[in-house]
Amino acid sequence: MGGSNRARRWVVGVPTLWLVLLFLIPFLVVLKISFSVARLSIPPYAPLLVLRHGWPMLKVHLSSYAYLFTNPLYVRSYLYSLQVAAICTVLCLLIGYPMAYAIARAGAWRNVLLMLIVLPFWTSFLLRVYAWIGLLQNNGLINHVLLALGVISHPIVMLQTDFSLYVGIVYSYLPFMILPLYANLEKHDPALLEAASDLGARPFAAFRRITLPQSLPGIAAGSLLVFIPAVGEYVIPTLLGRTDQIMIGRVLSNEFFENRNWPLASAVAVVVLLMLVVPIVLLQRVERRELEAE
Amino acid sequence: MTRRGWFSGVMLVLGLVFLYVPIASMVVYSFNASRLVTVWDAAHSPTLKWYAVLFSDGQVLHAAWLSLRVALSASTISSVLGLMAGIALSRFGPFRGRSLLLGMTTAPIVMPEVISGLSLLLLFIALEHAIGWPHGMGMLTLILGHVSFCMAYVTVVIQSRLAGFDQSLEEAAMDLGARPAKVFWAITLPLILPAVVSGWLLSFTLSWDDLVISEFVAGPGSSTLPMVIFSKVRLGVSPDVNALATIMVSIVATGVVVAAVWMRRRQRRSERDAQLAAAANL
Amino acid sequence: MAESRSQEATPAPGYLHLEGLSKRFGEFLAVDAVSLEIARGEIFCLLGGSGSGKTTLLRMLAGFERPSAGRIWLDGQDLSAIAPHDRPVNMMFQSYALFPHMSVEKNVAFGLEQERLPRREIRARVDEMLEIVQMGRYAGRRPHQLSGGQRQRVALARALVKRPKLLLLDEPLAALDRKLRERTQFELLNIQQRLGVTFIVVTHDQDEAMTLATRMGVMDHGRIVQVGAPAQIYESPANRFVADFIGSVNLIEGRVAETGSGTVLIRSEAPACAIRAVCTPPCAVDDTVWVALRPERIQLQQAPHDGAAAENAISGRVRDIAYMGDVSICLVEAGAALMRVTVPNSSGVLAHIARHDEVRLGWNASAPVILLK
């Protein structure tokens, strides 16, 4: 299209510039500081460029990274975060797929149900996570109910366990799984399933051979949308998670705020990012393909 | 629902219960007199005492006012920027820097917030060190920090709306003599206005709700509402938070009901129009 | 584009004049050096399959695509460097592209408002145009409150109200159902004659092209392969592609056996026959040529089993008969070839012929068209 080139340049330039300044460059700052060492000063790290005999010299420290990879505490935190994120992604998929499937097939109720899925998203995430404390704690609602029913004789410890952490993450991220799955499943032509059943496929076989393969892009998008942010989750593990094993988001924040070790916090962030580069690129590819298919 | 769908139907109902029980429990217990959140004090409940506690808490009110101002500014700025980015990405065809812009508008959505928060804070500190701006952390840095991830959501909403409507509408306007700026104001903007509005609402919610990035970029004197809530609930269950949750849930629910009624009315009107058009065909 | 246009470029002789117009998308050449003359007041149809380049050509005329090479002249004015919103050309979109948030009246007025005409004049011209397309009663309606045919008329009114020098119509009837399409075709002709605007219609539907066009151009692979009046293109196609694309045809490959005295004799193997044609194309003995025979120009008879191998006649066996109402289509196996013959049902010929019957096919020497490529 023709049009005034000056206007076009502004429309492209302003958001690009904003994001470069406030999204891209900050990462470069983090990267830079991760190659420094902590010291008592303002700011609390050593500059990378130092003057020696009047010449600027680049002084790169790898000590933060070395510390990260040799200290089992950090390695374990990374592995634990990946494990939690993976388990929660699978749980979200197992719960979210049937829900998305049911909504896609719900006819006139579709929009209402979709609204019900999105609605919690509009109310405070923090408050919804907080609500689980009241439900899961030893004298909480769930233990009360189970005790009253006589199912258990002593309250079960649920808070600050892996269980409560999974519940919290699955609960918070479920809509992110359901929405892309729904968007995919809703596009399926019901005639395909009719054709499969006409050709003799039982319902489950039809699902496995027709619906499931077609919904793979939705599964991929939903899983990545849950997995990526879950790895770095901070609020949920703080409120609901274990105290003896913390996730990497907590580690980062502790190093930064409590130990004031900015280079180490930055190195933690850089390594998390490196772990997430592949999933993020995958996600962008899946989404682009879905957008082009429309 | 057919027999085939019973499993997914049951899962849907259970899933919805899972999503709504925590919210319902907060609403119910906000009227509970007992300090022990989950013990229902039947003698003195329901009561509004936690609402009174909440509204006399100066810290909460102050934080809410700050959050409101930050959310209004951040959502407005990110709507404008997101609108520009969305239009550039879905209407300008290939241009230099397109994949950079595309990447930068999708990445913030999934980026772990601790990383975004840390990197923004370090940038602000480095900037302050280098050029003396911004002067410490506060409302300005909160707004700047929130815009970066809010605009990503707006961009996605705008892009999917633009993908759904026929580009020939814009070509037709141009063909009829409208210059590009006129095409935008007369055709494109009115048609994607619903997307801009929902993008704004989404940004407002995200900014209003944000905790992690705010923790990094807020600075000592300026705590947002989520930050105050977080420090309260970290120390244990606090019943006035239930009251706050109930208020927020009722505001959202009211908004949704109003929107639903309005949409329903509009839909009914368009159904009638469709019948009219069908009749005209005869 | 070039900053300075050479002034000595001579204005084109025709009203619309395309000169070596090409459009390349990356490696793909969508439009390949099209040159064309169109007179004022014509209805010119561009006919072609999908991917033939007809829509790209139209979009270059409207200004939505920049030509990779070549020029466009309209009424002595070089359009090449003029932006779409400044061109005296309007388009009726295939999807109609009616603005959904504006009433019918606002839609039609939109183009005039861009010209900053006085409000009274806009009003008068919109009303007049809505009367012409018989949509005056619906001025206040929104597009989604209209039927498909009504939308089509609003789109037409919106494009015509600007009094363009050239109206481009992209598949104008494709979105209408069959009955409505026929009626609209004649309405469109009526309006065009009344206003005298030059029309360029893009379509893939040959019936549409045939009824609308004063002249048509058949497009294939980005080139215009033949230009002419509809009858001319149907009766004497320029090559096998056109013969096959327009209507149905029997194409027979053969070798020239004799030439001279205004006729040519061609021998073919499938079906094995001798074809004598009255036309005299520039071909020599032993050239390979193709003979195009329209199904309705072939006569079908019950076979008199004389077996004599006459010119312009073959015998065969009926494989299938399809009853179409006004005509029947017979497929006849003649040796290795399958010939298609249309027989008017009113002729009564088929009363005595059934499947598997032996039949004889014959035609006049004026029926075959000799094609060199």
Side-chain angles (χ1 to χ4, degrees):
Chain A
M1 229 184 283
S4 113
N5 275 323
R6 187 131 58 92
R8 278 177 62 129
R9 228 172 290 150
W10 276 93
V11 171
V12 174
V14 172
T16 307
L17 190 68
W18 181 287
L19 286 169
V20 166
L21 279 179
L22 288 158
F23 186 71
L24 204 58
I25 290 183
F27 288 126
L28 300 180
V29 175
V30 170
L31 189 66
K32 185 194 109 178
I33 293 175
S34 75
F35 288 113
S36 176
V37 283
R39 69 174 195 201
L40 281 173
S41 64
I42 295 177
Y45 57 89
L48 285 191
L49 273 181
V50 288
L51 288 180
R52 184 170 293 170
H53 310 304
W55 291 95
M57 292 266 300
L58 199 60
K59 242 180 127 183
V60 173
H61 302 266
L62 293 171
S63 52
S64 297
Y65 291 97
Y67 190 59
L68 273 188
F69 286 113
T70 49
N71 191 325
L73 181 78
Y74 298 101
V75 177
R76 218 181 308 136
S77 270
Y78 276 115
L79 293 179
Y80 180 65
S81 304
L82 289 176
Q83 180 201 331
V84 168
I87 290 175
C88 292
T89 304
V90 172
L91 289 173
C92 276
L93 184 60
L94 291 179
I95 301 170
Y97 198 106
M99 290 178 74
Y101 188 85
I103 297 172
R105 242 137 276 272
W109 287 93
R110 239 179 222 208
N111 287 332
V112 176
L113 290 170
L114 211 56
M115 198 66 223
L116 284 175
I117 299 295
V118 181
L119 204 57
F121 194 76
W122 292 90
T123 57
S124 171
F125 155 74
L126 176 60
L127 290 173
R128 282 180 294 126
V129 174
Y130 153 77
W132 281 103
I133 300 179
L135 295 176
L136 294 174
Q137 64 191 355
N138 285 358
N139 58 356
L141 187 66
I142 292 176
N143 272 321
H144 262 278
V145 171
L146 292 179
L147 284 170
L149 290 175
V151 180
I152 51 173
S153 51
H154 300 286
I156 317 172
V157 178
M158 289 182 284
L159 205 58
Q160 298 186 333
T161 62
D162 281 339
F163 173 73
S164 56
L165 179 60
Y166 297 157
V167 167
I169 294 181
V170 169
Y171 173 73
S172 305
Y173 287 95
L174 194 55
F176 288 97
M177 178 65 84
I178 294 177
L179 293 179
L181 273 175
Y182 166 79
N184 174 290
L185 289 170
E186 178 241 17
K187 278 183 281 184
H188 291 198
D189 183 357
L192 294 181
L193 284 184
E194 289 171 0
S197 105
D198 183 61
L199 296 168
R202 294 177 171 283
F204 184 72
F207 170 79
R208 197 171 55 83
R209 300 279 305 275
I210 311 293
T211 307
L212 197 61
Q214 279 185 290
S215 62
L216 282 178
I219 293 176
S223 302
L224 292 165
L225 278 175
V226 173
F227 179 81
I228 299 167
V231 169
E233 184 51 55
Y234 168 77
V235 177
I236 303 170
T238 308
L239 293 180
L240 301 177
R242 277 156 62 175
T243 44
D244 58 334
Q245 175 64 67
I246 59 176
M247 283 178 73
I248 203 66
R250 274 293 292 284
V251 172
L252 189 154
S253 138
N254 287 349
E255 290 303 337
F256 187 82
F257 286 112
E258 277 153 39
N259 301 342
R260 282 188 68 74
N261 190 338
W262 293 15
L264 188 58
S266 300
V268 169
V270 170
V271 174
V272 173
L273 261 186
L274 287 178
M275 291 193 310
L276 295 180
V277 159
V278 173
I280 288 177
V281 170
L282 264 179
L283 176 67
Q284 291 193 342
R285 197 162 297 172
V286 170
E287 282 183 336
R288 200 171 309 172
R289 210 175 303 157
E290 283 287 274
L291 205 69
E292 275 161 12
E294 264 168 26
Chain B
M1 221 163 277
T2 59
R3 249 201 76 217
R4 187 186 308 182
W6 70 267
F7 172 69
S8 57
V10 169
M11 284 300 287
L12 179 60
V13 173
L14 290 178
L16 288 172
V17 169
F18 175 60
L19 286 178
Y20 282 92
V21 160
I23 297 174
S25 76
M26 283 193 292
V27 173
V28 171
Y29 283 110
S30 75
F31 300 106
N32 184 9
S34 166
R35 211 186 151 84
L36 278 172
V37 171
T38 48
V39 179
W40 185 256
D41 179 1
H44 303 97
S45 305
T47 171
L48 290 176
K49 87 175 184 201
W50 299 117
Y51 291 85
V53 170
L54 185 72
F55 281 109
S56 56
D57 187 336
Q59 200 196 2
V60 167
L61 295 179
H62 186 80
W65 175 232
L66 176 69
S67 280
L68 185 65
R69 283 180 298 163
V70 169
L72 284 173
S73 325
S75 54
T76 305
I77 298 171
S78 44
S79 294
V80 174
L81 291 173
L83 179 61
M84 291 166 110
I87 286 175
L89 288 174
S90 47
R91 281 295 187 261
F92 284 5
F95 57 85
R96 210 147 39 102
R98 186 177 189 277
S99 13
L100 175 72
L101 185 58
L102 189 67
M104 288 193 306
T105 49
T106 43
I109 294 179
V110 287
M111 188 60 63
E113 284 183 293
V114 276
I115 297 180
S116 308
L118 175 74
S119 60
L120 280 166
L121 175 59
L122 292 178
L123 173 83
F124 292 143
I125 290 172
L127 272 180
E128 193 178 9
H129 195 66
I131 61 172
W133 182 92
H135 286 294
M137 304 298 129
M139 192 161 118
L140 179 67
T141 50
L142 277 169
I143 293 171
L144 291 177
H146 287 188
V147 167
S148 301
F149 71 92
C150 288
M151 77 174 275
Y153 281 88
V154 180
T155 308
V156 170
V157 173
I158 300 280
Q159 244 184 306
S160 61
R161 170 76 186 175
L162 280 173
F165 96 71
D166 191 358
Q167 193 157 356
S168 61
L169 288 174
E170 286 150 322
E171 287 177 350
M174 204 178 294
D175 184 66
L176 294 167
R179 308 184 155 277
K182 177 79 184 179
V183 174
F184 175 76
W185 292 109
I187 308 297
T188 314
L189 189 60
L191 287 175
I192 60 174
L193 202 59
V196 178
V197 171
S198 59
W200 188 91
L201 287 172
L202 191 59
S203 304
F204 183 90
T205 314
L206 289 167
S207 167
W208 171 262
D209 210 22
D210 177 75
L211 170 65
V212 181
I213 292 180
S214 305
E215 289 269 7
F216 280 92
V217 299
S222 48
S223 288
T224 62
L225 189 58
M227 288 166 70
V228 171
I229 299 171
F230 190 57
S231 60
K232 270 173 178 283
V233 300
R234 261 181 115 162
L235 303 173
V237 168
S238 157
D240 53 336
V241 173
N242 285 333
L244 180 61
T246 305
I247 292 171
M248 281 162 64
V249 167
S250 3
I251 291 174
V252 171
T254 313
V256 166
V257 168
V258 169
V261 168
W262 181 71
M263 297 237 289
R264 172 105 206 130
R265 202 173 290 167
R266 233 173 66 142
Q267 195 186 346
R268 217 173 285 158
R269 204 169 55 203
S270 79
E271 270 163 21
R272 210 176 43 226
D273 291 346
Q275 282 168 358
L276 220 66
N281 252 339
L282 296 176
Chain C
M1 291 257 93
E3 286 77 29
S4 63
R5 265 183 203 290
S6 50
Q7 291 304 307
E8 61 272 283
T10 43
Y15 182 64
L16 176 71
H17 171 68
L18 309 184
E19 198 179 277
L21 206 58
S22 295
K23 179 68 188 181
R24 193 179 276 285
F25 295 109
E27 286 296 290
F28 176 64
L29 193 58
V31 174
D32 184 5
V34 165
S35 296
L36 196 61
E37 301 284 335
I38 291 169
R40 189 192 293 264
E42 258 194 296
I43 300 187
F44 190 89
C45 278
L46 282 167
L47 180 65
S50 60
S52 62
K54 58 189 194 305
T55 300
T56 309
L57 183 54
L58 198 74
R59 290 172 61 82
M60 282 196 281
L61 293 177
F64 300 134
E65 306 287 353
R66 284 195 166 194
S68 308
R71 286 207 194 162
I72 303 164
W73 297 85
L74 177 63
D75 200 11
Q77 185 189 15
D78 185 351
L79 287 188
S80 313
I82 300 180
H85 51 83
D86 291 329
R87 288 192 186 198
V89 172
N90 288 116
M91 175 141 158
M92 196 179 113
F93 288 78
Q94 182 177 4
S95 61
Y96 307 144
L98 296 177
F99 307 133
H101 57 305
M102 296 182 190
S103 65
V104 165
E105 197 177 3
K106 282 274 163 210
N107 261 285
V108 178
F110 185 89
L112 298 177
E113 282 162 6
Q114 306 313 311
E115 292 175 25
R116 300 184 193 286
L117 294 179
R119 194 165 297 173
R120 254 210 334 234
E121 190 186 340
I122 293 181
R123 172 112 219 160
R125 275 171 69 176
V126 169
D127 287 349
E128 180 199 24
M129 191 49 72
L130 285 178
E131 281 317 312
I132 291 177
V133 297
Q134 300 163 21
M135 287 295 293
R137 285 167 50 204
Y138 302 103
R141 292 255 182 111
R142 291 282 182 90
H144 65 269
Q145 296 171 306
L146 302 176
S147 68
Q150 293 171 334
R151 282 180 211 177
Q152 193 258 7
R153 280 182 281 171
V154 176
L156 183 65
R158 188 178 71 175
L160 280 173
V161 77
K162 302 237 327 170
R163 296 179 187 153
K165 289 185 173 174
L166 184 63
L167 184 74
L168 310 171
L169 301 97
D170 188 2
E171 307 270 1
L173 308 173
L176 304 179
D177 58 47
R178 220 177 120 170
K179 265 267 162 60
L180 199 55
R181 197 181 309 175
E182 218 162 82
R183 207 171 71 203
T184 313
Q185 253 167 24
F186 291 110
E187 269 176 25
L188 210 56
L189 280 177
N190 228 327
I191 290 169
Q192 194 269 346
Q193 270 159 16
R194 199 164 146 188
L195 301 175
V197 179
T198 311
F199 275 26
I200 294 189
V201 181
V202 150
T203 177
H204 68 276
D205 178 344
Q206 47 172 306
D207 293 336
E208 194 174 313
M210 295 272 195
T211 36
L212 285 176
T214 48
R215 278 194 313 148
M216 56 200 261
V218 182
M219 284 195 78
D220 181 37
H221 286 99
R223 289 166 180 271
I224 294 193
V225 272
Q226 190 176 7
V227 175
Q232 190 187 349
I233 288 187
Y234 186 80
E235 302 291 343
S236 31
N239 58 29
R240 279 180 292 157
F241 172 79
V242 177
D244 197 34
F245 188 73
I246 311 279
S248 48
V249 74
N250 296 293
L251 276 175
I252 301 163
E253 187 177 341
R255 207 173 262 279
V256 179
E258 287 171 36
T259 57
S261 66
T263 64
V264 188
L265 185 71
I266 292 148
R267 292 196 186 281
S268 71
E269 280 163 18
C273 67
I275 299 164
R276 185 168 293 278
V278 287
C279 59
T280 49
C283 61
V285 172
D286 262 5
D287 281 357
T288 300
V289 295
W290 288 268
V291 177
L293 257 177
R294 295 282 179 201
E296 72 275 12
R297 303 290 296 264
I298 302 176
Q299 284 100 41
L300 182 99
Q301 307 164 349
Q302 275 173 294
H305 267 281
D306 57 1
E311 284 177 359
N312 287 351
I314 45 175
S315 46
R317 174 197 286 266
V318 177
R319 185 204 270 184
D320 253 318
I321 301 176
Y323 179 78
M324 308 289 285
D326 50 349
V327 295
S328 290
I329 297 171
C330 302
L331 294 180
V332 178
E333 275 168 14
L338 193 61
M339 301 287 288
R340 190 186 167 98
V341 183
T342 346
V343 185
N345 286 326
S346 54
S347 70
V349 172
L350 288 172
H352 314 289
I353 296 176
R355 281 174 67 179
H356 308 312
D357 282 0
E358 295 289 333
V359 291
R360 195 175 166 82
L361 306 179
W363 53 87
N364 292 326
S366 64
V369 179
I370 313 297
L371 304 171
L372 300 178
K373 44 181 190 180

